[in-house]
Amino acid sequence: MDYETPLFFHVMEYADAADRDVVDMVSGNPDWEPPEALRDGLREYADFEPDRFQYPASEGLPELRAEIAARRGVDADQIVVTNGAGEANYLAMARALERDAGNEILLTDPVYSYYPGKTTMLGGTQRYVAAGAEGQLDPAAVRAAASDETAAIVVNTPNNPTGAVYPAETMRELVAVAEDHDAVLISDEVYDHYDLSGQFASALETESTHRIVTNAVSKSMAVTGLRVGYVIFPPELVADAKSRHMLVNVATTRPGQYAALKAFRETGPDYYERNRELLRERVDTFTDALEAAGAEYTTPQGSFYVMARFDGYPGTLANVERLIDEAGVAGMPGEAFGDSRSEWLRFALVTPRVEEAARRLAAYFD
């Protein structure tokens, strides 16, 4: 079976093997500091008794689930703490397909590359809805693509790779489309703390039994290696999701959950605002250089990615490798995100060397 393995690790390995200095703008690994409370939590955990290093409750530490529930306005029983947002999305898509309400997953084009592979792995089929030039999703286009075979509509806001942020009206309409077709809207909101527009709206703001929300501390707390995520299910879908989670992963990291809980409780809004301000500065620096290089580019409303199109330089894997070898900048090929951005490249602004990367790109395409 072809699982449509994403190209991220191939590009990172190619960049690592290069015989020159390369600025890594491939992965979404934030380079800024995690909350101090999270570091403190990990230090504290090291001194706990041996019993605290054994299996936690499979669905997550009760205290962490209660904290998330209070923050998100849901019942703790609806929450499964997962091995990052990756497992959260896997569980959500699995539950949507297991409802026997269709076998099709509606995805956006461009698409985050892991969704198509998960769909295939779970035995579903993909159908794509093109996003607009700025990455916005038209609910009318989603409605036109939906049918009785639609099991789920998967969206990511703020979006990877386009940086689009879907406003409240769009989210309400997407939930309505899911309801009208007995489908499930799966809203991946892992970049919610990187909304630069003030327009972010969670699917949780629309009361419905036809929406599932996934999230994680990976991006918001700059700890992609911690692997603490969560998924919020409608009450009637959560039991089987807990069983699948137990069979696949047993549980996720107990020390990591403890540290995430401490960080939730002790990290103020200023931490997140500092990171957004850093990101705003990097967006300006990078897009100014792209402007000077004559490139077409996106200005993200959220997340931390910029897409760029250089005339005569399509976003193929071969051209990404060429850019690594000849310019010393590693990005992602647009073709990895679907047909509509195959002429583009995607760059992650999660390196202190953004200004240097911008200079290299401007010089290379001069």
Side-chain angles (χ1 to χ4, degrees):
M1 178 181 289
D2 180 7
Y3 285 148
E4 301 170 55
T5 304
L7 293 173
F8 295 100
F9 288 101
H10 171 86
V11 177
M12 285 188 284
E13 289 172 357
Y14 189 90
D16 286 342
D19 60 1
R20 62 163 297 161
D21 175 65
V22 177
V23 181
D24 177 8
M25 303 185 77
V26 178
S27 61
N29 292 325
D31 64 292
W32 44 88
E33 281 289 311
E36 188 58 35
L38 190 141
R39 289 186 181 274
D40 290 343
L42 292 173
R43 293 186 190 102
E44 289 174 13
Y45 213 91
D47 293 327
F48 285 164
E49 294 300 315
D51 65 308
R52 299 285 290 275
F53 289 87
Q54 311 312 317
Y55 296 123
S58 179
E59 63 267 32
L61 294 180
E63 302 90 340
L64 177 57
R65 291 168 62 231
E67 181 72 20
I68 295 168
R71 289 168 172 270
R72 306 311 303 268
V74 300
D75 193 292
D77 286 341
Q78 295 175 246
I79 296 170
V80 181
V81 179
T82 59
N83 187 36
E87 191 208 351
N89 290 319
Y90 163 79
L91 290 179
M93 294 168 76
R95 288 303 293 124
L97 289 165
E98 289 167 349
R99 294 170 62 245
D100 294 325
N103 194 52
E104 187 175 82
I105 303 287
L106 287 187
L107 303 171
T108 62
D109 184 2
V111 65
Y112 173 56
S113 304
Y114 281 74
Y115 301 150
K118 284 182 169 68
T119 301
T120 300
M121 182 171 64
L122 290 165
T125 58
Q126 301 94 340
R127 183 178 177 88
Y128 293 92
V129 179
E134 299 300 317
Q136 287 294 327
L137 189 60
D138 182 357
V142 178
R143 184 175 291 278
S147 71
D148 291 342
E149 283 302 307
T150 303
I153 304 162
V154 179
V155 297
N156 173 216
T157 178
N159 186 262
N160 176 9
T162 67
V165 173
Y166 302 157
E169 182 179 359
T170 294
M171 299 305 292
R172 285 194 298 270
E173 288 298 316
L174 293 174
V175 171
V177 174
E179 291 175 337
D180 291 345
H181 290 277
D182 191 24
V184 177
L185 175 70
I186 299 172
S187 183
D188 179 351
E189 301 175 3
V190 72
Y191 296 99
D192 58 350
H193 281 285
Y194 298 104
D195 171 26
L196 305 179
S197 68
Q199 299 298 309
F200 171 77
S202 172
L204 292 173
E205 295 174 22
T206 303
E207 189 62 39
S208 177
T209 59
H210 288 262
R211 52 105 173 99
I212 299 171
V213 170
T214 66
N215 212 316
V217 302
S218 300
K219 310 293 185 178
S220 60
M221 296 186 186
V223 284
T224 58
L226 198 73
R227 310 317 300 143
V228 176
Y230 63 88
V231 54
I232 301 172
F233 288 97
E236 60 269 28
L237 296 183
V238 72
D240 285 350
K242 290 179 179 179
S243 296
R244 181 183 282 264
H245 168 68
M246 183 181 293
L247 290 168
V248 171
N249 273 327
V250 180
T252 194
T253 163
R254 189 168 182 168
Q257 290 184 69
Y258 177 88
L261 174 60
K262 187 174 178 65
F264 273 132
R265 289 174 172 173
E266 299 181 14
T267 303
D270 57 316
Y271 169 78
Y272 303 103
E273 180 53 37
R274 283 197 307 272
N275 295 337
R276 285 191 293 271
E277 187 56 36
L278 172 65
L279 183 55
R280 291 185 184 100
E281 293 171 2
R282 289 182 178 181
V283 169
D284 289 344
T285 296
F286 196 65
T287 56
D288 284 352
L290 293 175
E291 182 83 25
E296 186 177 355
Y297 58 87
T298 61
T299 301
Q301 293 182 308
S303 73
F304 34 67
Y305 305 101
V306 168
M307 300 199 79
R309 186 172 70 85
F310 299 92
D311 190 38
Y313 201 91
T316 62
L317 178 59
N319 274 345
V320 163
E321 292 176 348
R322 181 178 159 198
L323 201 63
I324 291 169
D325 293 334
E326 299 179 8
V329 179
M332 277 296 294
E335 65 182 8
F337 303 98
D339 295 337
S340 68
R341 298 300 192 275
S342 61
E343 295 296 311
W344 296 67
L345 301 165
R346 193 212 69 177
F347 300 96
L349 306 186
V350 288
T351 169
R353 303 174 70 191
V354 163
E355 188 170 359
E356 182 177 353
R359 286 199 303 268
R360 291 183 182 189
L361 289 172
Y364 186 73
F365 288 105
D366 186 6

